[in-house]
Amino acid sequence: MSSQPLVPTDDLLDASRRLENRAPEAILAAAASRFAPRIGFATGFGPEGCVLLDMIGRHRLPIDVFTLDTGLLFPETHELWRRLESRYRLRIRAVRPALDLAGQASQLGDRLWERDPDRCCGIRKVEPLHAELAGLDAWVTAIRRDQTRDRAAAQVLERDARFGLVKVNPLVAWTSALVWDYVRRHDVPVSPLHSLGYPSVGCRPCTSPVRPGEDPRAGRWRGREKTECGLHARGPMPTLAQGLRPKERTE
Ligand code: SF4
């Protein structure tokens, strides 16, 4: 990755300020026009991600869409994945870790997520994303400022020091209510798990339902201090495990 930023930091800050009050579609279009074809969107199929897919699909924006397929997604997530591809006539590529689940169990023991979820997320999410982003100049995310403490300082456009490219956050100023209003108005497909008590859906072993009054992300890594996979953390990139390179993307 180049140590020379593609866009000077001052220019990025100016552009971000200009886009702060623009609609997410306008932010996506501006980012696509500046960075295509070296721009990707990593979706985890949350309602925010589905909203961005709707915008990308309806406006036929030239943004490559992919998802981190950890091998531990809910069947409902796979169904939603296929539904979104069909609805918007676009391909959502699977990006997979170097180690399949059997390989992870044989090298690091069974159910690593119970003993060391940071390492598990590192292998199954952070490293594959790192390799994928190495070929891009910008990536789009579906984060909102009010989701977690780590995300509160996010800007519309920012330099992602961890992955070494520009990060585009079109929904950063939106609330959950705005997201759900958009879902209803545009009839956007979303996970059926949301209406079963799962406001935030990740991997099966690390996602549990949320009780009334709890934080919407309380069901992620329940009982642990961990609140993020590491994809949106602001600290330096943890050392990547040697020899763990993502598989060829076949889907
Ligand atoms: Fe592993 Fe859980 Fe992270 Fe999924 S969310 S990669 S199962 S620790």
Side-chain angles (χ1 to χ4, degrees), residues 62-142:
I63 296 175
D64 179 38
V65 183
F66 60 92
T67 192
L68 300 172
D69 183 358
T70 61
L72 290 156
L73 301 179
F74 284 85
E76 289 86 346
T77 302
H78 284 279
E79 276 167 37
L80 176 62
W81 181 350
R82 300 304 165 213
R83 234 177 115 200
L84 289 161
E85 287 187 317
S86 155
R87 163 82 175 260
Y88 298 112
R89 300 194 313 281
L90 51 75
R91 180 166 174 246
I92 303 172
R93 287 185 303 111
V95 171
R96 299 198 171 96
L99 280 179
D100 62 15
L101 288 170
Q104 179 168 299
S106 107
Q107 287 189 31
L108 298 163
D110 205 12
R111 305 170 81 83
L112 179 61
W113 47 87
E114 289 179 359
R115 290 174 287 108
D116 191 346
D118 283 342
R119 185 144 192 218
C120 185
C121 277
I123 293 168
R124 312 210 74 71
K125 294 185 176 182
V126 179
E127 290 181 25
L129 180 68
H130 185 256
E132 195 65 24
L133 297 186
L136 299 179
D137 293 333
W139 72 302
V140 176
T141 87

Side-chain angles (χ1 to χ4, degrees), residues 31-49:
S33 134
R34 171 67 179 82
F35 294 108
R38 291 173 59 86
I39 179 169
F41 170 39
T43 181
F45 301 113
E48 292 82 4

Side-chain angles (χ1 to χ4, degrees), residues 1-223:
M1 243 176 262
S2 164
S3 55
Q4 195 66 21
L6 181 78
V7 182
T9 303
D10 286 351
D11 292 359
L12 201 59
L13 280 172
D14 278 352
S16 187
R17 282 193 206 106
R18 283 197 302 274
L19 290 170
E20 176 70 30
N21 296 315
R22 302 288 304 279
E25 287 102 323
I27 296 169
L28 281 170
S33 134
R34 171 67 179 82
F35 294 108
R38 291 173 59 86
I39 179 169
F41 170 39
T43 181
F45 301 113
E48 292 82 4
C50 296
V51 162
L52 291 180
L53 275 167
D54 179 89
M55 295 171 180
I56 291 169
R58 281 192 302 110
H59 298 289
R60 310 309 302 164
L61 295 174
I63 296 175
D64 179 38
V65 183
F66 60 92
T67 192
L68 300 172
D69 183 358
T70 61
L72 290 156
L73 301 179
F74 284 85
E76 289 86 346
T77 302
H78 284 279
E79 276 167 37
L80 176 62
W81 181 350
R82 300 304 165 213
R83 234 177 115 200
L84 289 161
E85 287 187 317
S86 155
R87 163 82 175 260
Y88 298 112
R89 300 194 313 281
L90 51 75
R91 180 166 174 246
I92 303 172
R93 287 185 303 111
V95 171
R96 299 198 171 96
L99 280 179
D100 62 15
L101 288 170
Q104 179 168 299
S106 107
Q107 287 189 31
L108 298 163
D110 205 12
R111 305 170 81 83
L112 179 61
W113 47 87
E114 289 179 359
R115 290 174 287 108
D116 191 346
D118 283 342
R119 185 144 192 218
C120 185
C121 277
I123 293 168
R124 312 210 74 71
K125 294 185 176 182
V126 179
E127 290 181 25
L129 180 68
H130 185 256
E132 195 65 24
L133 297 186
L136 299 179
D137 293 333
W139 72 302
V140 176
T141 87
I143 62 170
R144 292 186 289 108
R145 286 190 187 117
D146 63 1
Q147 285 172 317
T148 68
R149 227 175 10 197
D150 273 346
R151 300 179 186 188
Q155 302 300 312
V156 175
L157 300 179
E158 56 190 355
R159 183 158 320 286
D160 188 334
R162 177 165 265 216
F163 292 110
L165 75 176
V166 172
K167 191 170 179 180
V168 183
N169 305 311
L171 297 177
V172 78
W174 273 28
T175 60
S176 176
L178 283 172
V179 170
W180 282 104
D181 180 58
Y182 185 100
V183 166
R184 280 186 286 274
R185 279 191 292 115
H186 295 273
D187 192 27
V188 177
V190 293
S191 174
L193 293 172
H194 299 316
S195 52
L196 298 174
Y198 297 80
S200 175
V201 180
C203 293
R204 286 191 320 272
C206 302
T207 307
S208 57
V210 165
R211 293 181 285 276
E214 277 191 310
D215 183 277
R217 287 180 65 87
R220 304 288 296 276
W221 305 284
R222 187 176 283 286

